[in-house]
Amino acid sequence: RRGAVARAGAAAALLGSSAVFFALLAAPIFPAHPEKRNCLAILAFVSCLWTTEAMPLFATSMLVPGLVIGLRVMVDRTVDPPVRLAPAAAAPVVFGAMMSQVVMLLLGGFAMAAALSKHYVAKWAAAAVLGRVGDAPAALLLASMCVAVVASAFISNVAAPVLVYSLLEPVLRTLPAGRHGEDLARALVLGVALASNLGGMTSPIASPQNVFAIERMADAAGEAPSWLAWFAVSLPVAGVGVLACWGALLVAYPMARAAPVRSLPSSQSSATGVQLYVVAVCAGTVALWCANATLAPVVGGMGVTALLPLVAFFGTGVLTKDDFNSMLWTVVMLAMGGLALGAAVSSSGLLHTVARAAAAASHGLSPWATHALFCSLVLVATTFVSHTVGAMVILPIVEAVGRAMLPQAHPRLLVMGAALTCSAAMGLPVSGFPNMAAASLEAADGRAFLSTADFIRVGVPCSLVAYGVIVTLGYRLMTGANGW
């Protein structure tokens, strides 16, 4: 019965989204620019499908190129006046935009994550850390959150909470009954989720929204900021955010501090040759990404560098064909659809029109006020909508507003602030994958560790604190250290 209700809901959402699509196609808006009207219809249609999940997210993304090409949204602006591209001319442009360096960056990150996970490097390192914490509940909570942040940075904040929960299982399974044990269980489960969300800020491959942000932050020459420039902002912001969340959890669950804890066994085995090879390749790749600003004239960009772990792992048998087939191709397709939609919104001129209206609405505001305003809007939207979906829809508009700001353009400032804020939205069970994973985790008796009230009571204040860190410390680092 539950499946039938879900199917009926999906069908209703699909019909509603389709009605919006055809209504916008027929609406008398942009009469002189049908490409803008068609692009707006596509944007609304896809956004509704992504928001309601009437179709799987990646399947919705696969609709985008066909709609963009068939409705002749792409425009050739090299001629005067601009001309709408026919489908035969638009197809290579759209598919060229979909296969950008962002996709290679994703694949390189997936290869690193697969190697670190398959050969137990991530689990070995996490166990080595947690096994040395001892039996102090507050220390175990902070260590678990720190492990989740580091794991998120290098194997994504989708896999990180699953990894840490597997390591904490012996503790969660042996906690005593009563308020003390329940408080510590809630604090640990929710702490890992909040830390994984904040860990999604830390590196360009930590979460899909960061990958989209890197693409939007490229300058006129196509050069994106290096990993080092990203780390200079994200690590301090995430670090302060984690400490604030840790304090909030200890206040919200005071009994957790007195709960007896079973110490986790530390890892006694030494690293194997394959594990050392995996660590060396991953460290070398990250180092090259950090030095991208210097190496770009030689290697061409981070997408080219991302080929290193793909060749180094699959070419030597560290990863196999089955591992390649098991990569998160749904995320790749989601990213490619987002890139196609971004190219369409820009080429049609719709992005310029929306950005001009947004810039007029924020006219007279200082760069800090504009940054704080857009970050607040992103925080509200991505609390209720997937972080990835929110980034795909909002970041192109934020970038265009940043480029239109006078007397100086600030696209990188606004885009990175918005991307970090996507990860800071963690007030509901649906706010990001880490929260969904935490909400679905159950104790041995089948009861969920967390309720929606737990997320609201702790997640909402933590989201607001993280927002405050982004618009203060983050803003200072972006404008000071990086000069954005």
Side-chain angles (χ1 to χ4, degrees):
R1 183 175 179 180
R2 185 179 300 174
V5 172
R7 286 192 296 272
L14 181 59
L15 287 174
S17 302
S18 301
V20 170
F21 175 60
F22 288 112
L24 287 173
L25 283 179
I29 50 178
F30 304 122
H33 300 280
E35 68 277 3
K36 290 185 182 181
R37 181 181 64 248
N38 292 352
C39 189
L40 178 62
I42 294 171
L43 178 61
F45 180 49
V46 172
S47 297
C48 288
L49 291 178
W50 275 332
T51 302
T52 60
E53 296 191 43
M55 294 170 57
L57 297 181
F58 72 93
T60 299
S61 286
M62 294 167 66
L63 279 173
V64 174
L67 291 173
V68 168
I69 294 168
L71 293 174
R72 299 185 62 190
V73 167
M74 303 301 288
V75 176
D76 182 2
R77 299 190 178 277
T78 62
V79 297
D80 191 19
V83 177
R84 295 171 68 189
L85 292 178
V93 177
V94 172
F95 286 108
M98 293 172 68
M99 190 57 193
S100 71
Q101 293 200 58
V102 171
V103 175
M104 296 312 302
L105 190 65
L106 268 177
L107 293 176
F110 289 159
M112 291 167 55
L116 290 168
S117 177
K118 179 179 180 178
H119 296 282
Y120 303 103
V121 176
K123 195 165 187 175
W124 177 82
V129 173
L130 294 178
R132 289 170 170 78
V133 172
D135 56 3
L140 176 63
L141 174 60
L142 181 59
S144 301
M145 294 174 72
C146 291
V147 168
V149 170
V150 175
S152 296
F154 297 106
I155 64 171
S156 88
N157 71 341
V158 174
V162 178
L163 168 67
V164 181
Y165 288 143
S166 69
L167 295 172
L168 290 175
E169 185 181 358
V171 173
L172 297 173
R173 192 172 57 243
T174 57
L175 287 175
R179 179 69 182 277
H180 293 78
E182 290 177 359
D183 268 14
L184 181 56
R186 291 192 184 99
L188 286 170
V189 173
L190 187 53
V192 169
L194 299 180
S196 297
N197 278 304
L198 294 174
M201 302 178 179
T202 48
S203 76
I205 62 168
S207 56
Q209 57 264 27
N210 292 0
V211 177
F212 301 136
I214 283 287
E215 175 75 7
R216 306 243 67 93
M217 293 169 74
D219 58 21
E223 182 179 325
S226 69
W227 274 46
L228 197 59
W230 187 282
F231 283 151
V233 178
S234 65
L235 294 183
V237 170
V240 173
V242 167
L243 290 175
C245 291
W246 177 60
L249 288 164
L250 293 179
V251 171
Y253 304 107
M255 295 294 184
R257 288 173 283 182
V261 179
R262 171 188 172 183
S263 298
L264 287 168
S266 60
S267 177
Q268 302 295 326
S269 59
S270 57
T272 65
V274 174
Q275 289 175 326
L276 292 175
Y277 175 72
V278 169
V279 170
V281 172
C282 292
T285 303
V286 171
L288 292 174
W289 279 335
C290 289
N292 180 66
T294 303
L295 298 176
V298 179
V299 301
M302 288 191 290
V304 180
T305 307
L307 294 170
L308 173 61
L310 289 166
V311 175
F313 292 146
F314 288 104
T316 59
V318 171
L319 295 176
T320 65
K321 180 177 68 175
D322 290 336
D323 297 315
F324 186 80
N325 293 335
S326 300
M327 281 186 173
L328 295 175
W329 292 106
T330 55
V331 176
V332 174
M333 293 306 302
L334 183 61
M336 294 175 76
L339 293 171
L341 185 61
V345 172
S346 177
S347 178
S348 67
L350 178 64
L351 181 60
H352 177 71
T353 301
V354 173
R356 190 168 53 193
S362 59
H363 178 69
L365 296 179
S366 66
W368 179 85
T370 305
H371 173 251
L373 173 63
F374 275 97
C375 286
S376 65
L377 296 175
V378 170
L379 184 70
V380 173
T382 52
T383 296
F384 299 93
V385 177
S386 161
H387 295 171
T388 304
V389 171
M392 293 170 70
V393 174
I394 297 171
L395 289 186
I397 297 172
V398 172
E399 178 205 5
V401 171
R403 294 193 185 280
M405 288 177 66
L406 295 175
Q408 182 180 354
H410 295 281
R412 288 187 172 183
L413 169 68
L414 295 189
V415 169
M416 186 167 188
L420 296 182
T421 307
C422 286
S423 296
M426 43 195 176
L428 291 173
V430 296
S431 304
F433 179 82
N435 282 18
M436 295 182 217
S440 64
L441 202 64
E442 295 180 344
D445 59 3
R447 291 185 297 111
F449 284 106
L450 301 173
S451 65
T452 301
D454 291 300
F455 286 99
I456 295 174
R457 186 159 63 104
V458 182
V460 170
C462 287
S463 295
L464 294 174
V465 170
Y467 165 78
V469 174
I470 292 168
V471 299
T472 53
L473 176 61
Y475 178 83
R476 179 58 61 90
L477 291 172
M478 283 185 273
T479 56
N482 288 340
W484 293 343

